[in-house]
Structures are given as C-alpha cells and as structure tokens.
C-alpha cells in the first residue's frame, strides 16, 4: 500500500485589512469578507484613511500579526493605489485617474472609496461598474461631496429599477447598509430609496436590524437602534432594556432617547398609561450607571415634556447624581410654581435644593418654618435661614441659645450657629456642652472654644481620652502645631490618637527615628505602621534579635509584618519568612513565601551561623511545599503583567 503524500507545510499567516486585499488585487467580494453592513463600512473607511495623498506621508500606526508588531507600510504600499494626476504625460493639463486601462475590479473599488473626491467621481463615471460594487455605490450616495452624491444616486436609481429575482435579492442585501447610512448627514436619501424598492418588507428590515444590533462595533449598534425605532420594531420597554444592557454610552444614549420619545408618543395615545411609563423612566434613572446616561435621559424627557412637577420634585430630592438633581430643580423653578412642594424640597439630600426651598418660605408666608432650618447640616442653608428670619424681624440668636440650653434639642449645627455671635456670655454654655452625652456635640463645643480662644486651663489634651472619635479628631487638630502637647498624646489611651501624634511629631517636628522604635511594639496596628515608616532606611541599625522577636508568629499582625519588612540580614530574613510561611493572614503568608523562595534561590552554599540549624529544619519541613510556592508566585507574576 502506497503511503499518502505528506501535506505541504503551513506557511506563515499574513493579515491584510479589506483595503489591503484590494491593493493586492483581490476582488470586491473577497475584500469585503462576510459582506455585512459593517464590513462595507470598514472597507470604505480603511481605504479612505490610507489612500495616497500629495505631500509627506507618515505611518498611521502599527498592526499586530501573531506575536509581532509591524508598521503599516510593511504590509502594503498605498502609493501604488489609483490616484489623481494633476498633469498629463506631456506636462500639460491632466485631470485624469491613474489606473489600468480598463481598470480592474479592485482598482474600481479602491477608487470608489478613495480619499480624493475627484477619483471617486471618476470611478462613478465609468461606463460599466461591476455588480459587486453596488454596496460601494450605495455608500457614495451619502458622500460628503455633492458631485459624488449626485452621480452615485443616479447610478443607484438605475440599479434599483431592475426587475427579476436576482435584482430583488441584490436590493434586499443592501437593506442593512442603507439603515446604517441613516446615521450620516446625507444618508436619508439612500435609506428611503432602498426601503421604497423593497416595499418596506418587514421581514427584510427585521433581519437587517438584528444584524446591526448584534454587531461588536458601537456605531453599528447605534444605527440598529435608530433603525429599529423607525421601523416600529422597538417599543419603550425594549429601548430601556437596550439602554440598560449595552455597555457603550453612545448606543445606550441613543436607546434611552428613543425610549423617552416612544414613552411620550404612548402617553399621547393613551393617557391612562402615564403612571406605568413614568415608573419605568424613574426606574431607569435610579440605576447607578454612567452619570452622562442619566443626564441624557433627563434632558430628553425635559425636551419632550414627559415630566410633570411631581416627577421633577422626585428627581430633585432623591436622585443620586448631583447634576441631575440640580437640572430637575432648575426645570421645576423655570416652568412650575414650587410652593406646593417646599416641604419635600426642604428634605432633599442636596443643599442647593434645600436652599431653593428655604429662600421661598418667607414669600409663601411660612416664616415659622424657617426656624427648623437654623440647624441644617449645611452652613449656607443655616446662613440663609438666619438672613430670612432677620428679614422677617426675628433675631435668630435667642433661638440658637434656647436650642443649646436644652440637652435634648442641642445639635452640632446649633452650637456652630450660636458661636457665630462670639458673645462672651455664651462661654459657660459652651464649656457645659463639652460634657454633653453626645460626642458630636462635645466635639463641636470644643472646637468653638478653641476658635474663641477660651479653652480650659489644661487645654484640649484633657479630652484626648474621650470615647468619641470626633472629639479626639478635634483634639488632634487643635494641637498639631504644639510638639509638647503631641508628646503628651503619645501616652493617650486610644491608638488613633497615639498614631496621629507620632506621625505629626515625625513629619512636622523632626522627631528622631530612634524615639519611634519602642512604638513598633505598640498594641495598636496604626501606631506600629507609623513607627515602621519612621524607621524607614535606618532599619540596618536595629538589632536582628529585636526584629526576629517582633516578627515572631505569636505577635499581632502589624508587628509581624513590620518585623519582616524591616529585616536587613538575608539569613535572619529567611528565618523570619520560613517562620511565617503558614501565617493565618493571607497577605503576610504570601509575602513570607515569596521572600523565602527568593532567599533560597540566592543561596550559593549551605546556611551557617546562629540561624543555620533552625533554617535547615524549617526548609526540610517545607521541602514538599516549595515547588507549589514557586508556581503560585509565577502565576501571580503572570497575572500582574497582563
């Protein structure tokens, strides 16, 4: 039996763009690939981008082929493509296209997509164009050059006038591309001409829309959304679903604009559907996606008049995005009377919305309601409430004093409001409030006393052990420029106070790094981290025995991590890493295993010295696990490099 002949070896694969296939002499059908609408658009764009123009020529970019990157000019020389001659062979007036006589199919396609409009027009004036070039003629019907458009539309009108099954099939294949051209400024004529020839066949349009909507290119999907709406294949619910599903903001924006317009049409046709349509709009606005998409939906809804005053109030009060809240507020104030909604607006999360409500209370005859805004969390709202009360003939400070005198009604905002008067007779009340049951009130009272220069004799340090974090933060802010007070805070009961004092002393007051070493053993992790940063490059002066003890497995996590990080001897670092190789904390465990693998790979001889016996014992204990550690490190390195 004769053995079969061996197959020829596979040649290296070459990548060519659709335009480069034409440049190498391929036919139009081969260059267009699958012949979808996006393939024709890509062919047209690629040729127009790369065809030769007079003047200097630079590379447009780089192309990846397999594992290698190539300059565009290495794959194709676009200077050999057809181009326009300004002068004739004899040096006289030219005005002719440089191509074969007669031009080949690939040259005609290159000329139809050429960057020079004169060459596109010359190709359209040819006596006969190949049938495969009909999609390119359709593209030229939306050309930016008027002469090219007129020539292409005349040719397309003649092609669409044909009869027979073959002509019908050719026109049907043009429907997706005609729908895609609707995005272009001059594309409406081509769309209407093709759809009129097909009799607006619903099945053909539906197939074309499905092709556009499933494209990977965002501009193609955007055209699909527009075509689906024009053909009545997409209702408001479907458009909202498309906007929520598509990851491109442009496509989602097109879909949500269509959804709002369709909702408006449905509302005009059936007023009873208002509640459902507005609920769907608010559900879309409540999604935490790209804020620009919500602004697009809101702008379209305002343009279409979809939203009533109640809807605008709801958006102004509850919407999570600031620009949307304020846009809705501006629309409400511009087109409607906000008086019936002042109570709702006054509860908004946005201070600007609350300000809009407060400044209209007095004109609405509701002076008494201004009082409750004296304790607003936002200072400009409180200032406006005081201003409006004064305009109504009411002094706001007795109201503030009454609020602060009652432990049940006092708030931090009330303390700040009363402090605005800077009256000496209020100081005893502020001192009393430093012992209030609520921490934020104590913190605000302490801050006011500091602002007025009336702190108690022992100063803010006396409040360093306060159980409330806001009070301790006020203390730290008060003494940040006083090194002697910061040194007192190094013995505070709370770790955040000690850490802040140590960090301020180190960064602002030149604390010597040796003074921070004892804080490496502080029970608070934040203090240990500050001390570790303070030691920094001076770690080589720390005793190895101290660092090994600090990195011992029984220590708190922050101390173990600091001891391992500050280790400055390879042998001691290897010992500490092997001890922590099974640490319960995953981050420290990975760091220890990485250091262990690295140290072991550097060893050129057997470990000796005071740590030799224990290192050999631990290496033998982990011998079976070392290959797995190495594999894990390689996997993490590969993942990090992607």
């Amino acid at each position: 039996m004769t053995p079969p002949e061996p197959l020829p070896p596979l040649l290296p694969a070459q990548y060519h763009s659709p335009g480069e296939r034409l440049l190498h002499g391929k036919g139009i059908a081969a260059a267009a690939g699958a012949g979808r609408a996006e393939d024709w658009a890509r062919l047209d764009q690629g040729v127009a981008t790369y065809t030769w123009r007079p003047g200097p020529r630079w590379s447009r970019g780089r192309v990846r082929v397999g594992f290698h990157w190539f300059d565009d000019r290495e794959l194709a020389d676009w200077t050999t493509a057809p181009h326009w001659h300004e002068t004739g062979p004899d040096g006289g007036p030219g005005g002719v296209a440089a191509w074969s006589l007669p031009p080949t199919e690939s040259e005609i396609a290159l000329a139809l997509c050429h960057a020079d409009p004169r060459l596109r027009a010359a190709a359209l004036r040819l006596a006969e164009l190949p049938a495969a070039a009909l999609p390119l003629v359709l593209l030229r019907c939306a050309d930016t050059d008027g002469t090219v458009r007129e020539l292409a539309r005349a040719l397309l009108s003649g092609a669409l006038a044909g009869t027979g099954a073959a002509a019908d099939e050719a026109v049907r294949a043009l429907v997706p591309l005609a729908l895609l051209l609707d995005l272009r400024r001059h594309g409406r004529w081509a769309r209407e001409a093709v759809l009129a020839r097909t009799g607006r066949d619903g099945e053909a349009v539906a197939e074309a829309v499905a092709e556009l909507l499933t494209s990977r290119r965002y501009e193609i999907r955007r055209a699909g959304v527009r075509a689906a709406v024009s053909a009545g294949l997409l209702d408001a619910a479907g458009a909202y679903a498309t906007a929520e599903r598509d990851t491109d903001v442009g496509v989602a924006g097109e879909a949500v604009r269509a959804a709002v317009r369709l909702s408006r049409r449905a509302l005009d046709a059936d007023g009873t559907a208002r509640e459902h349509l507005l609920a769907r709009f608010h559900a879309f606005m409540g999604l935490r996606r790209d804020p620009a998409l919500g602004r697009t939906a809101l702008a379209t809804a305002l343009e279409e008049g979809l939203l009533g005053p109640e809807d605008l109030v709801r958006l102004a009060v509850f919407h999570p995005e600031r620009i949307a809240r304020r846009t809705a507020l501006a629309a409400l104030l511009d087109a409607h009377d906000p008086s019936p909604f002042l109570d709702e607006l006054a509860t908004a999360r946005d201070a600007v919305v609350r300000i809009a409500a407060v400044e209209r209370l007095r004109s609405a005859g509701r002076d008494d309601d201004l009082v409750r805004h004296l304790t607003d969390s936002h200072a400009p709202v409180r200032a406006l409430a005081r201003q409006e009360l004064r305009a109504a003939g009411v002094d706001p400070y007795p109201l503030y004093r009454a609020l602060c005198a009652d432990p049940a009604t006092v708030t931090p905002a009330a303390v700040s409001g009363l402090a605005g008067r800077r009256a000496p007779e209020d100081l005893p009340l502020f001192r009393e409030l430093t012992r209030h049951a609520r921490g934020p009130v104590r913190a605000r009272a302490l801050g006011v006393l500091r602002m007025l220069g009336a702190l108690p004799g022992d100063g803010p340090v006396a409040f360093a052990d306060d159980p409330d974090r806001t009070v301790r933060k006020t203390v730290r802010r008060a003494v940040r420029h006083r090194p002697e007070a910061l040194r007192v805070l190094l013995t505070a009961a709370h770790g955040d106070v000690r850490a802040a004092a140590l960090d301020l002393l180190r960064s602002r007051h030149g604390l010597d790094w040796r003074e921070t070493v004892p804080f490496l053993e502080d029970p608070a992790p934040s203090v240990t981290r500050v001390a570790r940063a303070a030691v920094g490059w001076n770690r080589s002066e720390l005793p190895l025995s101290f660092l090994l003890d600090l990195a011992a497995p029984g220590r708190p996590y922050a101390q173990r991590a600091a001891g391992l990080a500050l280790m400055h001897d390879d042998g001691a670092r290897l010992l500490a890493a092997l001890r922590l190789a099974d640490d319960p904390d995953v981050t420290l465990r990975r760091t220890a295993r990485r250091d262990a693998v690295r140290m072991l790979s550097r060893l050129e001889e057997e470990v000796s010295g005071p740590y030799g016996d224990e290192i050999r014992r631990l290496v033998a204990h982990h011998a079976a696990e070392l290959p797995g550690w190495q594999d894990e490190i390689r996997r993490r390195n590969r993942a990090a490099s992607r």
Side-chain angles (χ1 to χ4, degrees):
M1 181 177 179
T2 305
E5 296 183 2
L7 295 174
L10 293 175
L11 297 177
Q14 290 186 343
Y15 170 81
H16 294 294
S17 68
E20 290 164 352
R21 295 175 204 156
L22 291 175
L23 196 63
H24 289 290
K26 299 294 183 182
I28 296 177
R36 298 167 300 185
E38 60 182 281
D39 298 324
W40 292 110
R42 180 187 175 204
L43 172 63
D44 179 47
Q45 182 182 6
V47 174
T49 301
Y50 288 99
T51 41
W52 180 82
R53 298 179 182 86
R57 174 72 178 177
W58 293 276
S59 173
R60 295 283 179 161
R62 296 172 66 80
V63 177
R64 181 176 179 176
V65 182
F67 296 99
H68 305 286
W69 289 86
F70 296 92
D71 193 288
D72 288 340
R73 291 174 296 183
E74 296 182 34
L75 298 178
D77 182 9
W78 283 94
T79 60
T80 61
H83 56 276
W84 190 259
H85 270 314
E86 290 291 347
T87 58
D90 57 354
V96 296
W99 52 25
S100 304
L101 293 177
T104 64
E105 180 178 312
S106 59
E107 287 179 325
I108 292 174
L110 288 169
L112 284 172
C113 305
H114 205 281
D116 194 330
R118 295 170 297 182
L119 200 59
R120 300 198 297 272
L124 291 169
R125 290 191 181 102
L126 290 173
E128 185 176 354
L129 291 177
L134 187 59
L136 299 178
V137 175
L138 178 61
L139 283 167
R140 298 283 67 81
C141 291
D143 201 279
T144 55
D145 185 81
T147 303
V148 175
R149 282 200 308 274
E150 293 175 4
L151 291 169
R153 289 175 181 181
L155 281 175
L156 184 66
S157 298
L160 295 179
T163 59
D168 292 343
E169 188 64 29
V171 174
R172 186 185 178 97
L174 294 177
V175 174
L177 185 57
L179 296 179
L180 176 60
L181 289 180
D182 194 31
L183 284 179
R184 301 191 182 184
R185 183 173 56 178
H186 304 289
R188 181 59 58 89
W189 184 94
R191 174 182 177 274
E192 294 300 325
V194 173
L195 292 183
R197 172 62 177 79
T198 61
R200 301 190 180 276
D201 184 359
E203 182 181 352
V205 173
E207 292 177 358
V209 168
E211 175 186 322
L212 297 178
L213 288 176
T214 55
S215 173
R216 297 179 62 182
R217 295 177 59 180
Y218 71 90
E219 68 273 16
I220 310 296
R221 298 198 304 276
R222 184 182 171 195
V225 171
R226 182 175 295 186
V229 173
S230 300
L233 299 175
L234 201 63
D235 59 2
Y240 277 125
T242 302
E244 293 167 0
R245 181 176 59 250
D246 203 289
T247 56
D248 182 79
V249 176
V251 180
E254 185 75 30
V256 76
R257 281 191 291 268
V260 172
R261 294 185 181 116
L262 290 169
S263 297
R264 182 61 191 176
R265 294 177 199 167
L267 186 60
D268 292 338
D270 182 10
T272 61
R274 178 180 181 81
E275 184 177 349
H276 170 72
L277 293 172
L278 291 176
R280 188 65 183 86
F281 173 81
H282 286 296
F284 178 82
M285 291 294 292
L287 296 176
R288 292 185 178 271
R289 282 196 56 187
D290 193 322
L293 194 57
R295 293 196 289 270
T296 299
L298 180 57
T300 308
L302 294 175
E303 179 184 342
E304 296 291 327
L306 180 66
L307 303 177
E310 297 83 0
D311 304 303
L312 294 174
V313 169
R314 177 177 175 179
L315 291 171
V317 173
F318 297 109
H319 197 274
E321 208 264 319
R322 182 182 62 181
I323 296 180
R325 291 194 300 267
R326 298 182 182 179
T327 302
L329 175 66
L332 174 69
L333 300 179
D334 183 58
H336 305 281
D337 180 15
S339 299
F341 312 104
L342 293 181
D343 289 333
E344 295 177 69
L345 294 174
T347 61
R349 59 184 294 180
D350 194 327
V352 171
V353 180
R354 299 200 300 275
I355 286 174
V358 171
E359 67 183 358
R360 286 166 175 80
L361 286 174
R362 187 166 58 87
S363 60
R366 301 175 56 180
D367 298 353
D368 295 340
D369 292 334
L370 289 168
V371 176
R372 60 190 178 95
H373 297 287
L374 290 174
T375 56
D376 193 276
S377 59
H378 201 60
V381 181
R382 299 196 298 269
L384 179 61
R386 292 194 296 269
Q387 175 184 330
E388 292 293 312
L389 281 172
R390 291 192 190 98
V394 179
D395 185 4
Y397 286 107
L399 301 175
Y400 273 129
R401 185 169 182 84
L403 288 171
C404 293
D406 186 356
T409 60
V410 64
T411 62
V415 177
S416 297
L418 183 60
R421 190 168 61 166
R422 295 177 178 264
E425 60 267 22
D426 294 330
L427 292 179
L429 180 56
F430 290 135
R431 294 192 182 98
E432 180 66 25
L433 289 176
T434 59
R435 296 188 291 272
H436 193 271
R438 293 180 56 207
V441 174
R442 298 197 302 273
R444 192 66 58 89
L446 183 63
V448 168
L449 289 173
R450 171 175 166 264
M451 177 186 69
L452 299 176
L455 284 170
D458 49 2
V461 176
F463 298 90
D465 293 336
D466 193 281
D468 189 83
R469 182 178 291 271
T470 56
V471 177
R472 302 198 297 270
K473 187 175 180 180
T474 304
V475 170
R476 298 198 300 267
R477 189 164 49 244
V479 301
R480 63 182 182 273
H481 298 301
R482 296 166 50 190
E484 66 283 355
L486 289 173
R487 287 186 176 274
V488 175
L489 294 183
L490 290 177
T491 60
H494 295 278
D496 59 327
V497 177
R498 299 197 301 274
L502 186 63
D503 190 40
L504 287 168
L505 284 169
R506 177 184 68 89
S507 59
R508 295 192 176 193
H509 303 290
L511 183 68
D512 187 78
W513 69 271
R514 294 177 182 82
E515 297 184 61
T516 66
V517 172
F519 292 96
L520 288 170
E521 299 183 276
D522 194 280
S526 57
V527 180
T528 302
R529 285 192 291 268
V530 173
R532 170 181 164 182
V535 172
W537 296 104
N538 301 291
R539 60 184 180 180
S540 59
E541 300 187 35
L542 294 176
L544 291 177
S545 58
F546 169 74
L547 293 177
L548 284 171
D549 182 61
L550 191 66
R555 290 274 192 165
Y557 164 75
Q559 297 181 20
R560 302 197 305 273
L564 184 61
L566 295 175
M567 204 71 67
H568 53 84
D569 178 79
D570 287 349
R573 188 176 186 85
L574 176 58
L575 176 60
L578 290 171
R579 286 175 176 176
L580 299 174
D582 294 325
D583 195 89
D585 184 84
V586 62
T587 303
L588 188 56
R589 183 168 67 247
R590 287 178 177 176
T591 303
R593 291 180 178 182
R594 181 199 63 199
D595 290 350
V597 169
R598 185 180 300 167
M599 293 295 104
L600 288 172
S601 65
R602 293 178 182 175
L603 289 179
E604 297 180 356
E605 56 185 14
E606 188 175 358
V607 180
S608 58
Y611 315 119
D613 293 339
E614 186 175 359
I615 289 176
R616 285 191 292 273
R617 180 179 62 79
L618 291 173
V619 168
H621 176 71
H622 294 293
E625 303 171 7
L626 284 172
W629 296 355
Q630 294 173 341
D631 294 340
E632 182 183 0
I633 293 170
R634 293 192 190 99
R635 283 195 301 271
R636 289 203 303 272
N637 290 340
R638 284 195 298 268
S641 63
R642 289 176 183 172

